[in-house]
Amino acid sequence: MGQFSLFRHYYDGGVPPVFKAAAAENGVSAADSTAYLGYTIAAATFILAMLAPS
């Protein structure tokens, strides 16, 4: 139960905590880190779609 509350303390939305922490360490704002995550997911989805068998 303690682990769940710890996870909940650090998790503040749709952005994974590790990604948000890495962005914050590099001086990226919270809004920009969310945008960068969206761009990353979109690019990964596109690459996966291109590599998928037809």
Side-chain angles (χ1 to χ4, degrees):
M1 195 69 168
Q3 184 180 12
F4 179 72
S5 63
L6 179 67
F7 174 77
R8 201 164 181 157
H9 174 72
Y10 287 109
Y11 190 72
D12 62 352
V15 179
V18 174
F19 188 85
K20 189 173 261 318
E25 286 179 7
N26 291 305
V28 178
S29 71
D32 285 342
S33 70
T34 303
Y36 294 151
L37 179 65
Y39 301 149
T40 304
I41 292 171
T45 303
F46 178 75
I47 292 168
L48 184 63
M50 293 296 108
L51 294 175
S54 54

